[in-house]
Amino acid sequence: MYVRSFADGDGDGTGDLAGVRSRLDYLRDLGVDALWFTPWYPSPLADGGYDVSDYRAINPAFGDLAEAESLIAAALSRGIRTIVDIVPNHVSNEHPWFRAAIDSAPGSPERDRFWFRPGRGAHGELPPTDWVSNFGGTTWTRTTNPDGTPGEWYLHLFSPEQPDLNWGNPEIRREHEDILRFWFDRGVAGVRIDSAALLVKDPALPEVPENPAPGGHPNTDRDELHDIYRSWRAIADEYDGTRVLVGEIWLPDTERFAMYLRPDEMHTAFNFDFMSRAWDAGELRSSITTMLAAHAPVGAPSTWVLSNHDVTRPVSRYGREDSAFSFATKRFDIPTDVALGTRRARAAALLSAALPGSLYIYQGDELGLPEVEDLPPQLRTDPMHFRSAGVDPGREGCRVPLPWSGDRRPFGFGTGGSWLPQPLDWSGYTVEIQERDPASMLSLYRSALRIRRDEPDLGDGGLRWLDGEPGVLAFSRGDILCATNLGADPVPLPAHSAVVLTSSALVDGLLPADTTAWLRPL
């Protein structure tokens, strides 16, 4: 849930906690049992809220702490738990700690909370390293001394407005442990850990080697991270019931990835591999097999997700010649067949919902919303757009406020417009319209989540691959068979006794291209 874009309760054009609370019954009826909120804290919004200035408060545009506590309780009364986002790698440059560091002298305790270093070169004019930011460009910004002369540099693996914390400083560790307790004490059921593999840096600040050995990258996936997450797990385990730790971990090495999911560390981590693969039977089967095998040795459940607040929506992505996702290839004006993408997104929804593990849905995907790619240039604020010199369109296209009802903007999002404009044709995507249409994307998601919850065989456990037609993914989950046709032509269904649910209508008893069917075995 991206709060700014879910629902506006006070009519100012920005989504808020009151809006979320007004739509809790919608979420319950959808079949949601937990909400992961992207950062709802005070923030200058230089990076969509991931530049946090206060972890113990709520962004005034969204509400206040009392409203958050009330929302947590109201959601729980409907069987919906709350997961909050923690961003431990960095804070906002408006955080009191960073303001104090800027006002302090080199070598001060205030600066030791961050990564301040002198520059290279005769006059310190070069950054301390040549590391590349996750948003493109340098990872260092130079400060200015009180007398106007150039000062030290500070590290930011993302934007300059997000200075990295120094996790070698014990104060940083104590602060985040206290933040965890603060939110657990207020009833949250877990935390999602942003950029979880980036916290620890090699204090010598070496350059990134061409082929880093496992644990040998100077700012990613360092071995010291595991001690941090063991301490977080110990805190989570102090509380009655389950307090879940969910990691955002982008690592190509599946063995290193699985290390974060050992029984005394995180409970789960996002499976970005599956989300990034092309609409291809071999690609998706390889991802499913690889990720299930990676999780098995540590006994952790896999997660399945088709998109989030950072990536191109499935309806658009799957309608392109290159249906994989990569930040490096995200560009303007890519030809998109939305009808094809919608058909594939429906099939992908049933495929992912049939897999063993946890299923995450990004708000609006259950409505089949496409990526909005024609936003006015003056409304684009994403640092990924600007640090690419305008080549990358940025991430606002998947953050446009949701359409709820009516035939004109803002389509029931609120009463005072919306902070990003919705496309005029979104009247056909509203919840109001889709609730009345048994063939809509919303109806498909509701049916899939209901069946998934009611069928014990669609919970934890393994799967058994079935032999079948080329281009078809087919597997058994006990009393459910799942078959997805990623080929070009209709194919016979696996042997079955009944059809449970299909993403598109069968044609003469055959499974059409880009369609998934859930079946009962013989």
Side-chain angles (χ1 to χ4, degrees):
M1 178 167 288
Y2 191 71
V3 178
R4 291 175 83 190
S5 300
F6 187 71
D8 174 17
D10 63 8
D12 66 355
T14 296
D16 48 37
L17 302 189
V20 175
R21 185 163 184 172
S22 73
R23 302 293 184 175
L24 284 176
D25 289 346
Y26 165 80
L27 295 164
R28 178 201 60 203
D29 294 344
L30 176 60
V32 168
D33 53 22
L35 297 175
W36 155 36
F37 289 92
T38 61
W40 57 10
Y41 315 107
S43 167
L45 299 178
D47 180 25
Y50 282 87
D51 47 319
V52 178
S53 56
D54 184 354
Y55 270 112
R56 297 174 179 82
I58 298 296
N59 189 322
F62 302 159
D64 57 29
L65 188 57
E67 284 185 277
E69 293 174 338
S70 178
L71 174 59
I72 291 166
L76 189 59
S77 72
R78 293 166 172 82
I80 301 173
R81 291 164 291 178
T82 297
I83 298 172
V84 296
D85 218 318
I86 300 294
V87 190
N89 180 69
H90 50 263
V91 294
S92 166
N93 63 345
E94 294 188 11
H95 190 285
W97 278 6
F98 190 72
R99 301 316 311 160
I102 288 292
D103 292 339
S104 300
S108 65
E110 290 81 4
R111 290 204 169 188
D112 188 58
R113 294 167 173 158
F114 301 91
W115 290 91
F116 282 86
R117 293 293 186 274
R120 297 173 295 170
H123 304 288
E125 70 276 11
L126 300 175
T129 73
D130 293 326
W131 295 356
V132 177
S133 164
N134 285 276
F135 289 162
T138 181
T139 56
W140 295 90
T141 292
R142 198 170 193 184
T143 63
T144 301
N145 293 323
D147 62 2
T149 59
E152 290 187 314
W153 299 72
Y154 68 87
L155 175 68
H156 47 84
L157 293 185
F158 294 90
S159 74
E161 293 83 8
Q162 296 165 286
D164 279 35
L165 292 164
N166 172 19
W167 275 83
N169 183 326
E171 187 177 6
I172 306 303
R173 185 159 174 165
R174 290 194 300 269
E175 168 71 358
H176 283 80
E177 290 174 353
D178 186 67
I179 289 169
L180 289 181
R181 290 190 173 93
F182 180 88
W183 288 107
F184 288 157
D185 288 343
R186 279 154 184 79
V188 305
V191 296
R192 179 265 192 184
I193 307 165
D194 181 73
S195 302
L198 304 184
L199 279 58
V200 175
K201 283 79 173 175
D202 183 339
L205 298 180
E207 294 298 342
V208 179
E210 184 174 350
N211 294 298
H217 195 289
N219 63 48
T220 302
D221 185 34
R222 295 189 61 78
D223 291 336
E224 301 92 329
L225 282 163
H226 298 286
D227 185 54
I228 294 171
Y229 296 128
R230 288 188 189 97
S231 72
W232 286 26
R233 178 60 175 266
I235 292 170
D237 288 347
E238 293 173 4
Y239 288 79
D240 293 335
T242 301
R243 299 293 191 273
V244 178
L245 306 181
V246 183
E248 183 198 28
I249 304 172
W250 294 75
L251 293 177
D253 186 328
T254 56
E255 290 187 8
R256 296 287 299 185
F257 171 87
M259 289 174 65
Y260 292 86
L261 305 178
R262 290 175 289 193
D264 60 347
E265 294 191 42
M266 299 182 195
H267 297 79
T268 65
F270 286 126
N271 174 4
F272 294 112
D273 183 84
F274 182 76
M275 177 184 71
S276 302
R277 297 288 186 116
W279 186 249
D280 175 85
E283 285 281 311
L284 293 177
R285 177 163 177 165
S286 173
S287 178
I288 294 166
T289 301
T290 298
M291 298 313 297
L292 289 177
H295 286 77
V298 290
S302 185
T303 62
W304 309 100
V305 57
L306 298 178
S307 75
N308 61 31
H309 60 287
D310 287 333
V311 308
T312 305
R313 285 195 181 272
V315 162
S316 296
R317 188 169 78 247
Y318 288 142
R320 295 173 174 173
E321 183 176 357
D322 179 4
S323 55
F325 177 78
S326 168
F327 287 111
T329 59
K330 190 174 182 182
R331 295 293 183 268
F332 285 100
D333 301 322
I334 299 176
T336 304
D337 183 336
V338 173
L340 175 64
T342 299
R343 188 177 181 89
R344 289 175 171 176
R346 291 173 65 92
L350 289 197
L351 170 61
S352 58
L355 295 169
S358 301
L359 179 67
Y360 285 80
I361 301 165
Y362 175 51
Q363 63 180 44
D365 282 355
E366 81 278 10
L367 302 177
L369 299 181
E371 188 84 355
V372 179
E373 302 185 287
D374 59 352
L375 291 169
Q378 68 271 20
L379 296 182
R380 296 185 184 274
T381 61
D382 188 2
M384 293 193 79
H385 173 65
F386 293 104
R387 289 175 70 84
S388 69
V391 173
D392 186 327
R395 296 165 291 176
E396 278 104 349
C398 63
R399 300 176 180 179
V400 173
L402 301 191
W404 291 93
S405 60
D407 58 4
R408 62 181 62 185
R409 296 188 293 196
F411 303 117
F413 171 71
T415 59
S418 59
W419 70 280
L420 287 175
Q422 303 143 313
L424 293 173
D425 65 357
W426 272 19
S427 59
Y429 289 96
T430 65
V431 172
E432 180 182 52
I433 288 290
Q434 296 200 40
E435 284 184 327
R436 299 199 296 260
D437 180 3
S440 70
M441 185 75 85
L442 177 59
S443 294
L444 178 72
Y445 265 87
R446 284 182 172 177
S447 295
L449 295 183
R450 175 180 49 79
I451 295 168
R452 190 176 191 269
R453 181 175 299 216
D454 291 344
E455 291 285 336
D457 289 328
L458 289 181
D460 293 332
L463 61 76
R464 180 173 61 88
W465 290 106
L466 306 177
D467 295 329
E469 302 286 334
V472 175
L473 289 182
F475 54 85
S476 169
R477 301 285 320 280
D479 201 34
I480 293 286
L481 303 181
C482 178
T484 303
N485 182 5
L486 294 98
D489 301 311
V491 298
L493 291 164
H496 63 284
S497 62
V499 175
V500 178
L501 184 65
T502 62
S503 62
S504 298
L506 302 179
V507 178
D508 297 327
L510 299 177
L511 184 66
D514 303 316
T515 301
T516 296
W518 288 359
L519 311 166
R520 294 288 184 201
L522 289 174

